[in-house]
């Protein structure tokens, strides 16, 4: 360290002066007198030199303190951060429920959760090894002074995650960086897409940490930014064109499916309607119960016991989230009743129009002659849904771990400094 170096320099100076001013045997009384005079002069020189040395070293220490070496931002990832499996599952399920509840109340927010996850991850710079998915996107969004509809939607999504994290502190905890990545995956699953694997354990940026200089502009996916800047953002983060195609195709597909879903479709109950008890057969054989019939039945139930009966009015299909049910509905209902294929959007990419999605610019971008590799993968993904789903899972898991350094026990020894595998390193050739 600098302090140790300063001490070493002082010791070396002291040692050199010890040799320079050591006493020599006197040959005569005149020599002793001369030596005494020289000793007094040398003592003065020594004090002067040591004083100047201390001042010089003090100035050096002060300069080093005032001008510290800039530290490169780094995302640390500890998969064992949440303790045992029950606590981890509880935290993740609660976060997903919060996101699904927000999406059902306002489905138009669906693509923005995915946008935030991508923007947070694309802040990584492969050359400087700075930035990365540490949740800094939340600060970037909440401190933005823009008032356009796009920024307002991002702020609504950020508020949902902040509130969910605050509520989770009562029972368990989850980092805002993990919340951003999980929310993006939940948005895809909410429209009927696959469950995207998401590694947990990201450390979040310090509260007083500045927004990384490598953070992409918030309007990166609005079509307002030049296509070359979009492509360069993915390259700077170390992503391939194949991974870029899979992720942008997903963003386009999620928004297209949400736009094509009739408003309130999720409110249509899949449970059987109220009918007369004890009857089976065709619905056409049943007598349609009127409101008066139902009220009469409730009146009979109330007359049979002494308890006070309560009537709830204004029930317009309230949504109560729970963690029970099938894998598709355990975090709440899907935004649509069908399960569309995300690859269909890439199959019909050339027919994409601004009336069907706000990300219509992605069509011209991926089909551009400047990106021949991307165009070839668009054709493959459009004709092979299984290949696209597999690549999307790998790409999302990879992008949400960009720049992460594993720490903690066995994970650090097994995964630290291990080179990231891209989709181009895939060995599953039979799917191509």
């Amino acid at each position: 360290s600098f302090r140790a170096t300063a001490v070493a320099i002082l010791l070396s100076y002291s040692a050199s002066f010890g040799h320079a001013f050591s006493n020599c045997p006197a040959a005569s009384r005149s020599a002793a007198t001369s030596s005494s005079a020289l000793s007094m002069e040398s003592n003065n020189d020594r004090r002067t030199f040591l004083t100047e040395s201390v001042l010089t070293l003090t100035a050096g220490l002060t300069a080093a303190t005032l001008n510290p070496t800039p530290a490169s931002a780094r995302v640390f990832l500890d998969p064992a951060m949440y303790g045992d499996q029950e606590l981890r599952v509880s935290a993740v399920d609660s976060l997903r429920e919060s996101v699904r509840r927000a999406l059902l109340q306002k489905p138009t927010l669906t693509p923005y959760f995915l946008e935030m996850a991508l923007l947070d991850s694309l802040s990584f710079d492969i050359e400087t090894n700075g930035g990365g998915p540490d949740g800094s996107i939340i600060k970037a969004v909440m401190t933005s002074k823009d008032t356009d509809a796009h920024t307002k939607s991002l702020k609504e999504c950020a508020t949902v995650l902040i509130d969910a994290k605050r509520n989770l502190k009562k029972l368990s905890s989850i980092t805002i960086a993990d919340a951003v990545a999980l929310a993006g995956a939940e948005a895809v699953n909410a429209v009927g897409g696959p469950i995207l694997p998401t590694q947990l354990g990201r450390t979040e940026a310090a509260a007083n940490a500045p927004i990384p200089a490598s953070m992409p502009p918030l309007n990166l996916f609005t079509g307002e930014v030049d296509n070359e800047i979009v492509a360069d953002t993915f390259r700077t983060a170390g992503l391939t064109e194949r991974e870029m195609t899979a992720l942008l195709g997903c963003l386009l597909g999620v928004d297209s499916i949400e736009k094509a879903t009739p408003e309130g479709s999720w409110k249509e109950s899949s449970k059987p309607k109220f009918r007369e008890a004890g009857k089976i057969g065709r619905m056409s054989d049943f007598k349609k119960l009127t409101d008066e019939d139902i009220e009469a039945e409730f009146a009979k139930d109330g007359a049979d016991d002494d308890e006070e009966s309560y009537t709830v009015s204004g029930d317009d299909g309230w949504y109560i989230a729970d963690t029970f049910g099938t894998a598709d509905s355990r975090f709440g209902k899907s935004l649509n009743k069908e399960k569309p294929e995300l690859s269909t959007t890439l199959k019909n990419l050339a027919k994409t129009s601004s009336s069907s999605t706000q990300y219509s610019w992605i069509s011209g971008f991926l089909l551009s002659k400047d990106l021949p590799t991307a165009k070839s993968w668009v054709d493959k993904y459009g004709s092979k849904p299984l290949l696209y789903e597999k690549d999307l899972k790998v790409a999302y898991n990879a992008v949400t771990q960009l720049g992460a350094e594993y720490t903690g026990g066995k994970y650090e020894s097994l995964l630290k400094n291990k080179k990231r595998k891209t989709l181009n390193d895939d060995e599953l050739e039979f799917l191509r």
Side-chain angles (χ1 to χ4, degrees):
S1 64
F2 189 84
R3 184 175 298 175
T5 305
V7 172
I9 293 173
L10 280 173
L11 291 176
S12 64
Y13 282 142
S14 299
S16 63
F17 272 99
H19 291 294
F21 296 97
S22 59
N23 292 328
C24 299
S28 63
R29 183 172 299 179
S30 61
T33 304
S34 177
S35 176
S36 177
L38 288 172
S39 177
M40 294 178 61
E41 184 179 354
S42 65
N43 285 337
N44 292 333
D45 292 341
R46 184 189 303 177
R47 292 191 189 96
T48 303
F49 185 83
L50 287 175
T51 301
E52 293 177 352
S53 299
V54 170
L55 290 175
T56 303
L57 290 173
T58 303
L61 286 171
T62 304
T65 304
L66 295 177
N67 301 299
T69 303
S72 58
R74 200 179 274 268
V75 181
F76 292 97
L77 204 156
D78 182 8
M81 177 187 296
Y82 298 106
D84 60 23
Q85 185 175 358
E86 290 184 3
L87 289 176
R88 181 171 64 252
V89 172
S90 174
V92 171
D93 287 0
S94 298
L95 188 280
R96 286 181 170 174
E97 278 186 11
S98 300
V99 174
R100 184 68 67 95
R101 186 182 299 112
L103 293 179
L104 291 176
Q105 293 173 352
K106 192 172 182 179
T108 54
L109 294 179
T110 307
Y112 297 104
F113 278 107
L114 182 56
E115 265 198 46
M116 282 206 310
L118 294 179
L119 289 172
D120 196 36
S121 300
L122 291 174
S123 65
F124 175 67
D125 190 329
I126 194 173
E127 293 185 1
T128 63
N129 207 30
D134 60 356
S136 295
I137 184 63
I138 298 296
K139 180 181 288 189
V141 169
M142 298 305 290
T143 57
S144 175
K145 297 182 181 179
D146 295 334
T147 58
D148 56 282
H150 177 265
T151 305
K152 288 181 179 179
S153 296
L154 289 177
K155 287 186 176 182
E156 287 187 57
C157 294
T159 302
V160 169
L161 298 184
I162 293 173
D163 291 342
K165 175 179 169 59
R166 185 182 300 115
N167 294 333
L168 280 173
K169 281 187 177 180
K170 300 175 183 177
L171 300 175
S172 56
S173 180
I174 193 168
T175 65
I176 199 68
D178 280 347
V180 171
L182 286 169
E186 185 59 26
V188 176
N189 186 235
V191 297
I195 299 176
L196 302 181
T198 307
Q199 178 63 59
L200 300 177
R202 296 167 189 78
T203 55
E204 57 189 40
N208 57 350
I211 300 172
S214 55
M215 178 66 69
L218 298 182
N219 63 344
L220 183 69
F221 300 118
T222 60
E224 301 172 357
V225 178
D226 188 80
N227 288 349
E228 184 58 34
I229 296 179
V230 177
D232 187 62
T233 301
F234 280 88
R235 294 192 197 102
T236 303
L239 295 172
T240 64
E241 285 191 15
R242 181 178 176 183
E243 291 165 328
M244 179 184 69
T245 303
L247 294 170
L248 288 180
C250 179
L251 181 62
L252 177 62
V254 165
D255 186 63
S256 299
I257 294 172
E258 189 279 316
K259 293 289 190 298
T261 302
E263 185 176 355
S265 174
W266 64 271
K267 293 183 179 180
E268 298 179 8
S269 176
S270 57
K271 297 179 180 180
K273 301 294 183 181
F274 183 82
R275 62 180 179 81
E276 295 179 275
K279 289 190 176 182
I280 59 175
R282 296 179 178 276
M283 291 298 295
S284 58
D285 297 334
F286 297 157
K287 172 188 174 183
K288 185 176 181 181
L289 296 179
T290 62
D291 293 339
E292 290 76 11
D293 295 332
I294 296 175
E295 290 179 2
E297 291 296 327
F298 282 143
K300 291 179 183 179
D301 293 339
D304 292 338
D305 51 46
D306 297 329
E307 296 180 1
E308 184 179 358
S309 60
Y310 296 89
T311 303
V312 179
S313 60
D315 184 358
D316 57 350
W318 296 329
Y319 167 68
I320 301 177
D322 55 51
T323 55
F324 299 95
T326 63
D328 295 332
S329 61
R330 59 189 301 242
F331 301 116
K333 295 182 180 180
S334 298
L335 297 184
N336 48 10
K337 299 179 68 174
E338 300 179 357
K339 190 174 182 180
E341 293 284 354
L342 285 174
S343 61
T344 303
T345 305
L346 291 174
K347 184 178 181 179
N348 303 322
L349 189 61
K351 302 178 182 178
T352 303
S353 63
S354 57
S355 60
S356 60
T357 175
Q358 60 182 326
Y359 303 104
S360 58
W361 63 271
I362 294 179
S363 173
F365 176 66
L366 294 180
L367 297 178
S368 171
K369 295 180 180 179
D370 298 331
L371 300 172
T373 305
K375 187 177 184 304
S376 66
W377 282 111
V378 167
D379 297 335
K380 290 182 180 180
Y381 290 154
S383 59
K384 298 180 179 180
L386 182 61
L387 171 63
Y388 178 58
E389 182 173 320
K390 177 192 73 67
D391 277 11
L392 178 59
K393 291 179 178 180
V394 175
Y396 188 81
N397 191 37
V399 74
T400 52
Q401 294 185 55
L402 288 176
E405 181 177 323
Y406 282 86
T407 180
K410 61 181 181 181
Y411 299 103
E412 182 176 2
S413 59
L414 291 174
L415 302 173
K416 186 176 180 180
N417 298 327
K418 189 175 182 180
K419 184 180 179 182
R420 181 182 78 87
K421 282 191 174 183
T422 68
L423 284 177
N424 294 340
D425 301 324
D426 184 17
E427 299 176 355
L428 300 180
E429 298 288 344
F430 68 91
L431 287 174
R432 297 186 182 181

